[in-house]
Amino acid sequence: MPAYIPSPSINSFNVGPLVIHFYALMYLVGIAVAVIITRRRWRAVGGNPDLVGDIALWGVPAGIVGGRIYFDITTPMDVPHVWYGVFAIWDGGLGVWGGIILGALVSIWRLRRHGVNVTQFMDAVAPALLVAQGIGRIGNYFNKELFGRPTTLPWGLEIPYQYRVSGGIPAQYLHFATFQPTFLYELIFDFAWAAVLVWLGHHRTIRPPGLFALYVFGYSAYRIFEESLRVDSSVHFFGLRLNMYIATALAIVGAVWFYRSQRRPSPTEAPVSPTEAPVSPTEAPVSPTEAPADAATDAASDVAGGVASAPDEPGSPAEPAASSATGQASAAGQASATGQAVVTSETARPGEPVETSSERTTS
């Protein structure tokens, strides 16, 4: 039994005249699994699962285009020297960040067209994206790419000589046979971080789009580690790989995004208190028969004395309000064109006039 991970002998197979590349096949499988996961998560928060198919129909092609554009721009030395080289996603692959950015922009456009809460959908799709990326890394294994520096660890990845040369690794590493399987490290991380996001969504109160922000932060932070191991071809600035700078910047963006999203007050968590709630002047007053008993008790502490109903006819004597031993009173009001007339009496004695006051409903 070899003390290393052997490379596969093939990277494609034929179905009649068609050539099926494992790289493309793994990404298609990853996309299908991501759609299934997102449908379940979106249904769980009350969304229409059929919407996921529409978003994928637009977002996935945009993600593939964005991923290839990112690859062509950041690694021009690896673009095949044929007329279709910039489109040959099976030769060189895709850049994850380019795919996520363009795919997200197009998906947000579709979500807004449907009038859907964008941030909630982003949280629903975040773990699914990680699972899709992890499955896609199996395609890197078949392509014999995305490996790190030489290693003698028992899980080192065997890379044939011709792929070491085509991978653009430094000349001093060409005589080594086994390398760090960074594709495998990312696969394990993607699945593990997806599980963490699902757990947080079920056991912690995370405001949208907090889970998506954690996806950006976590994946980018991991890529800092991965880029420190990789030795394949890349554009370098000041001795560091270009993706190292991008990963660092996005990790900071994700952390700040999560912090701000969780500190921002949620409208649903800050209800307006009864004393601050505006009352419309045209709102009908509460009938004495509909007022609860405890409201009458509270009213007695705010309005001195009992509350009596207004007389039916001008000049008729006012009925004294019934007062109990505990000071409870019943409330009544009659709407007028300018406000509410409230008649109060302070334990009116027989023969004494009843004071009335007219008040306008205020907010």
Side-chain angles (χ1 to χ4, degrees), residues 134-362:
I135 296 174
R137 289 311 177 203
I138 301 176
N140 296 122
Y141 169 65
F142 280 95
N143 275 4
K144 306 170 189 65
E145 59 191 8
L146 196 60
F147 53 87
R149 64 171 62 103
T151 182
T152 57
L153 293 171
W155 57 83
L157 175 65
E158 178 197 24
I159 299 295
Y161 182 80
Q162 64 269 29
Y163 288 95
R164 299 175 222 162
V165 175
S166 62
I169 67 174
Q172 66 266 29
Y173 296 144
L174 289 176
H175 67 281
F176 290 94
T178 56
F179 298 80
Q180 293 276 6
T182 49
F183 85 91
L184 180 60
Y185 299 159
E186 182 171 335
L187 184 155
I188 295 172
F189 172 83
D190 287 342
F191 288 172
W193 194 241
V196 169
L197 294 186
V198 172
W199 186 89
L200 287 174
H202 283 90
H203 296 85
R204 295 292 184 269
T205 302
I206 307 293
R207 296 176 184 171
L211 292 181
F212 194 88
L214 286 176
Y215 156 70
V216 174
F217 163 74
Y219 179 74
S220 301
Y222 162 77
R223 282 298 295 264
I224 296 174
F225 162 75
E226 180 179 301
E227 294 299 324
S228 69
L229 295 178
R230 291 177 63 175
V231 294
D232 51 347
S233 60
S234 172
V235 175
H236 287 74
F237 292 99
F238 303 105
L240 295 177
R241 298 167 63 90
L242 172 62
N243 282 341
M244 177 72 78
Y245 293 102
I246 296 176
T248 302
L250 288 178
I252 296 173
V253 168
V256 173
W257 188 8
F258 175 76
Y259 175 78
R260 291 178 61 87
S261 69
Q262 301 313 295
R263 285 186 59 86
R264 184 173 59 247
S266 175
T268 59
E269 296 180 2
V272 180
S273 63
T275 58
E276 297 174 350
V279 180
S280 172
T282 58
E283 184 177 351
V286 180
S287 172
T289 59
E290 296 174 354
D294 57 347
T297 304
D298 294 338
S301 62
D302 296 331
V303 181
V307 180
S309 59
D312 295 334
E313 297 180 1
S316 61
E319 283 187 16
S323 59
S324 64
T326 59
Q328 293 183 343
S330 61
Q334 183 174 357
S336 64
T338 59
Q340 292 180 333
V342 181
V343 182
T344 64
S345 65
E346 299 185 2
T347 61
R349 295 186 180 89
E352 290 183 354
V354 177
E355 296 182 0
T356 62
S357 62
S358 178
E359 299 179 359
R360 182 180 298 274
T361 304
T362 59

Side-chain angles (χ1 to χ4, degrees), residues 23 63-80 85-99 140 145 230 232-235 242-243:
Y23 183 86
I64 294 174
V65 172
R68 187 60 185 185
I69 291 175
Y70 182 90
F71 175 85
D72 292 339
I73 293 175
T74 58
T75 53
M77 73 291 292
D78 292 336
V79 177
V86 294
F87 308 108
I89 62 174
W90 59 88
D91 191 349
L94 305 171
V96 170
W97 286 309
N140 296 122
E145 59 191 8
R230 291 177 63 175
D232 51 347
S233 60
S234 172
V235 175
L242 172 62
N243 282 341

